[in-house]
């Protein structure tokens, strides 16, 4: 009796009906239609983005990105730069980095390699100085 | 089973567990019903439109797991494991990548962070921007707040014992049950950061919800203990997940995402706060907990990043 009372109270508090208890067949379970989807938890709307335009890529960053081609070898990529790269050692793919300072700040140029040692992707990430 | 059937079964068991809790409140002398300890989610089946009920129970509750499996005619993925917040651990340990445990300027996701006056270390998820334009760092509440042990305004250091890079700020509240996020911010101070990038994926994409199509999908994470690791999504919509927080007790989480590493463990203690992303850079989750199943397999849990950062009014940078 106490269990029945608890079940009824739980149903009343949770505001949902007791789901049907038929067996589940592997393909087409002969169940009643599912209860309504749970009401999604309301979330605030997307934060209004504050326009913080990154510095425009200076010509040397754009030129460096353009010079690195997918499929190049690591040696060929290194030959494009006058400085040795920084190489993060944290597992994952092999990556070479160069820091390019310019009037608009600093940009990190990164080149990523596949297991065959050839460039698979490259990109530039903006560095922002937090005051 | 169909996705709707798996969800329906979860709802059915949730009602039974709620009833058991009410019964416990009515009669404190009544023995605890094992069903309240069961976490249920949705796991992949044998095809794109076939699913399993993910049943996760702590050791000692195998019987209730088996009972639930029988109720779904075996259409279940059962794991016996104890889930704990990936402990924020004291010092860099053997094997931890120096790259993430040395001073990193500019700061980048995956770097080790700690607190002035506290002896643990966790991982920097990444960066966000407030509506007023201010930049923040992001990690777990148990890393930056020690589950309500650390006052707001405490200096955040990078790496462990290093220079201050900000001060702790607000977090998603943690309570006994019904949690969705283990998430806290810190206000960045006088430090360069590299934006829209992590070493696991390269360019970071968008914050995204997890959908049924993501089950089995390859994921990457970068954390200060195990560095970059690859895994796959093994369950989503995991509800009533009990997570041990040491002295703070066991807290229950809903709508969590589960991953397992391939071939190595996906994470370990100290990786708390790591960004979890899909191949391609979109970000579904913030790593916060894990455990090893009775079969020896490591499971890692992430809370939904999109909803979590939205709840704090933060846009990903």
């Amino acid at each position: 009796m106490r269990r029945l009372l608890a079940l009824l109270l739980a149903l009343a508090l949770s505001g949902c009906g007791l789901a049907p208890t038929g067996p589940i067949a592997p393909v087409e379970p002969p169940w009643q239609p599912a209860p309504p989807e749970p009401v999604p938890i309301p979330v605030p709307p997307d934060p209004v983005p504050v326009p913080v335009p990154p510095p425009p890529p200076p010509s040397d960053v754009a030129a460096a990105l353009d010079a690195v081609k997918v499929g190049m070898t690591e040696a060929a990529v290194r030959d494009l730069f006058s400085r040795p790269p920084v190489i993060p050692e944290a597992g994952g793919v092999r990556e070479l980095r160069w820091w390019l300072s310019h009037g608009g700040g600093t940009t990190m140029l990164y080149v990523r390699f596949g297991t065959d040692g050839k460039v698979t992707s490259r990109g530039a990430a903006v560095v922002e100085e937090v005051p | 089973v169909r996705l709707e059937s798996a969800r329906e079964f979860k709802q059915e068991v949730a009602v039974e567990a709620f009833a058991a809790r009410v019964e416990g409140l009515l009669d404190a002398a009544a023995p605890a019903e094992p069903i309240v300890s069961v976490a249920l989610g949705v796991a992949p089946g044998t095809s794109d439109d076939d699913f399993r009920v993910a049943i996760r129970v702590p050791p000692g509750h195998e019987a209730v797991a088996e009972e639930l499996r029988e109720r779904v005619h075996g259409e279940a993925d059962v794991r016996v494991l104890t889930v704990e917040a990936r402990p924020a651990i004291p010092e860099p340990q053997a094997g931890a990548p120096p790259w993430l445990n040395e001073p990193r300027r500019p700061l980048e996701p995956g770097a080790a962070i700690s607190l002035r006056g506290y002896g643990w270390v966790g991982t920097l998820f990444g960066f966000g921007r407030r509506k007023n334009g201010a930049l923040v760092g992001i990690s777990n509440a148990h890393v930056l707040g020690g589950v309500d042990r650390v006052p707001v305004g405490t200096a955040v250091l990078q790496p462990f014992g290093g220079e201050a890079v900000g001060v702790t700020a607000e977090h998603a509240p943690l309570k006994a049950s019904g949690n969705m996020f283990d998430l806290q911010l810190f206000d960045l101070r006088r430090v360069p950061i590299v934006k829209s990038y992590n070493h696991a994926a390269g360019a970071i994409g968008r914050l995204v919800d997890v959908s049924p199509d993501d089950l089995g999908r390859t994921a990457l994470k970068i954390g200060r203990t195990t560095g970059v690791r690859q895994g796959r999504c093994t369950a989503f919509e995991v509800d009533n997940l009990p997570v041990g927080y040491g002295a703070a007790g066991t807290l229950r989480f809903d709508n969590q995402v589960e991953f397992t590493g391939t071939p190595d463990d996906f994470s370990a203690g100290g990786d708390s706060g790591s960004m979890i992303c899909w191949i391609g850079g979109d970000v579904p989750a913030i790593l916060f907990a894990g455990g090893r199943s009775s079969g020896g397999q490591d499971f890692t849990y992430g809370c939904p990043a999109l909803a979590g950062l939205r709840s704090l009014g933060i846009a990903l940078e």
Side-chain angles (χ1 to χ4, degrees):
Chain A
M1 182 54 116
R2 192 179 67 223
R3 175 178 290 272
L4 180 60
L5 178 64
L7 183 59
L8 291 173
L9 182 54
L11 286 170
L13 289 175
S14 65
C16 54
L18 183 63
T21 55
I24 294 182
V27 183
E28 281 295 323
W31 289 6
Q32 297 299 315
E37 288 290 316
V39 177
I41 296 171
V43 292
D46 277 319
V48 178
V50 178
V52 183
S59 57
D60 56 343
V61 174
L65 273 177
D66 190 51
V68 177
K69 308 292 186 192
V70 171
M72 287 177 77
T73 64
E74 181 173 328
V77 172
R78 284 173 181 256
D79 284 345
L80 296 171
F81 296 86
S82 57
R83 286 173 289 151
V86 173
I87 305 173
E89 300 285 355
V93 302
R94 181 165 179 82
E95 179 181 291
L96 306 184
R97 296 179 180 180
W98 285 269
W99 304 97
L100 305 176
S101 296
H102 45 78
T106 303
T107 298
M108 184 184 85
L109 181 72
Y110 59 91
V111 182
R112 297 164 70 87
F113 297 85
T115 52
D116 63 353
K118 305 288 182 62
V119 173
T120 55
S121 65
R122 75 271 192 277
V126 171
V127 175
E128 182 165 341
E129 294 280 346
V130 181
Chain B
V1 298
R2 293 177 304 174
L3 180 61
E4 295 75 19
S5 295
R7 285 171 167 164
E8 187 177 347
F9 183 73
K10 283 177 57 189
Q11 178 85 356
E12 186 180 315
V13 174
V15 169
E16 292 173 27
F18 189 29
R21 286 198 183 94
V22 172
E23 186 176 18
L25 290 174
L26 292 175
D27 183 359
E33 292 283 351
I35 199 166
V36 303
S37 65
V38 177
L40 294 180
V42 179
T46 55
S47 63
D48 287 349
D49 55 358
D50 182 45
F51 300 88
R52 298 285 180 271
V53 177
I55 300 174
R56 307 291 183 255
V57 295
H61 291 73
E62 291 85 350
V64 70
E66 194 54 38
E67 177 189 317
L68 293 173
R69 185 210 293 267
E70 288 175 6
R71 282 171 58 178
V72 293
H73 293 260
E75 301 276 318
D77 175 73
V78 178
R79 308 286 174 175
V80 179
L81 78 170
T82 299
V83 180
E84 295 181 315
R86 281 300 189 207
I89 54 178
E91 280 277 11
Q93 64 208 95
W99 180 262
L100 300 170
N101 291 280
E102 296 169 347
R104 284 265 68 79
R105 305 292 185 276
L107 272 183
E108 64 180 75
I113 53 173
S114 62
L115 300 169
R116 180 169 291 151
Y118 296 87
W120 61 77
V121 62
T123 294
L124 173 65
F125 169 86
F127 309 106
R129 197 177 289 277
R130 296 183 186 277
K131 291 175 182 174
N132 67 5
L135 282 164
V136 295
I138 303 162
S139 187
N140 290 146
H142 77 270
V143 171
L144 292 172
V147 192
D148 295 331
R149 286 170 55 195
V150 178
V152 166
T154 299
V156 178
L157 313 178
Q158 197 285 319
F160 182 83
E163 292 185 356
V165 296
V167 294
T168 58
E170 71 269 35
H171 64 90
L174 288 170
K175 46 196 184 296
S177 62
N179 298 291
M180 283 184 64
F181 319 111
D182 180 342
L183 176 62
Q184 184 158 354
L185 309 177
F186 65 98
D187 290 314
L188 292 160
R189 298 274 192 275
R190 292 186 294 278
V191 65
I193 64 168
V194 61
K195 300 193 299 184
S196 304
Y197 164 89
N198 76 32
H199 179 58
I204 294 173
R206 302 169 301 126
L207 296 170
V208 291
D209 282 323
V210 178
S211 75
D213 293 339
D214 293 322
L215 289 172
R217 188 171 177 183
T218 300
L220 299 165
K221 82 99 191 43
I222 181 165
R224 54 78 53 197
T225 301
T226 58
V228 175
R229 289 284 171 89
Q230 181 172 305
R232 61 186 169 82
C233 180
T234 46
F236 82 127
E237 296 183 357
V238 180
D239 294 338
N240 198 41
L241 179 72
V243 179
Y245 278 86
T250 297
L251 310 181
R252 295 185 177 278
F253 285 76
D254 295 331
N255 199 29
Q256 303 302 292
V257 193
E258 182 188 83
F259 302 87
T260 193
T262 51
D264 301 313
D265 292 352
F266 196 55
S267 68
D271 286 331
S272 281
S274 298
M275 178 181 288
I276 298 174
C277 48
W278 303 126
I279 299 281
D282 285 345
V283 180
I286 302 168
L287 191 156
F288 79 109
R292 192 171 299 282
S293 73
S294 56
Q297 189 173 5
D298 179 77
F299 287 94
T300 292
Y301 292 88
C303 42
L306 173 60
L309 290 175
R310 268 187 180 168
S311 73
L312 295 176
I314 298 298
L316 186 67
E317 280 284 325

